[in-house]
Amino acid sequence: MVLSDNWQTLLAEKENGTSVILSRRLDLEAFIASGKLPIRIEIRYPYSSDGEGMPATSSYATIEAIENALRPVMEDDKLAILAFQYLGGGEKGWIYYARNLDVFFERLNEALEEMEELPLSFEAERDPDWEEYLNLVPEEPIIKEEEEA
């Protein structure tokens, strides 16, 4: 199975009405069908935000450092795959699908050990059919491109 780096980015809205940028990784059908990644793990990082709920300039470097530390460690042997992520409303979220919860957190701790203590929170659930991922985006795009005449 080949892991692509193709993403779809959409503007969404949280329940409280704040705007969120949602990015969903494409071309994951083979990973979903394999059944090898049954655990969904959400990592949340609250950040200082501007008036629109987007990160203050000082928060961007930390968000980037977290992502750059985690993705290679998790995806190298496909222990876990970053399936989607969101940014907005004062929070950055990374959602991985993983093979093993204990090993995921061991690697997470190793990957982030050089960073100062972060106010991360986590949620993990069994989602063997990737329902959360598949329900992210409506079948019909919200904005349709005009067809050429």
Side-chain angles (χ1 to χ4, degrees):
M1 291 182 284
V2 177
L3 183 59
S4 79
D5 204 29
N6 297 327
W7 293 82
Q8 176 185 41
T9 300
L10 306 154
L11 187 59
E13 200 172 276
K14 279 190 159 187
E15 293 171 1
N16 65 7
T18 58
S19 294
V20 175
I21 299 168
L22 174 68
S23 296
R24 172 177 93 141
R25 191 177 228 153
L26 302 175
D27 307 319
L28 295 177
E29 295 82 3
F31 292 96
I32 296 168
S34 76
K36 293 180 180 179
L37 301 163
I39 304 164
R40 184 182 69 249
I41 303 164
E42 182 172 355
I43 304 167
R44 292 184 208 97
Y45 173 69
Y47 55 76
S48 300
S49 63
D50 62 15
E52 303 285 318
M54 289 295 131
T57 305
S58 60
S59 299
Y60 276 109
T62 303
I63 291 168
E64 187 175 10
I66 293 167
E67 186 165 327
N68 289 340
L70 287 180
R71 270 186 72 183
V73 170
M74 298 301 178
E75 293 183 349
D76 181 48
D77 63 355
K78 299 180 183 78
L79 165 74
I81 293 172
L82 180 62
F84 59 99
Q85 56 189 324
Y86 60 88
L87 177 75
E91 185 174 76
K92 171 68 180 191
W94 296 272
I95 294 80
Y96 282 86
Y97 279 84
R99 287 184 286 174
N100 183 291
L101 192 61
D102 292 335
V103 177
F104 180 91
F105 280 105
E106 286 173 17
R107 286 197 189 170
L108 180 135
N109 286 327
E110 290 171 11
L112 301 179
E113 71 185 351
E114 299 297 319
M115 298 180 76
E116 63 183 55
E117 189 172 327
L118 298 163
L120 299 175
S121 62
F122 305 92
E123 183 177 321
E125 283 186 53
R126 287 195 53 75
D127 185 5
D129 298 322
W130 291 47
E131 288 181 36
E132 186 80 15
Y133 170 83
L134 294 172
N135 289 327
L136 274 178
V137 181
E139 290 182 27
E140 291 295 317
I142 296 169
I143 301 172
K144 294 184 181 181
E145 294 182 23
E146 293 183 26
E147 294 181 21
E148 293 183 28

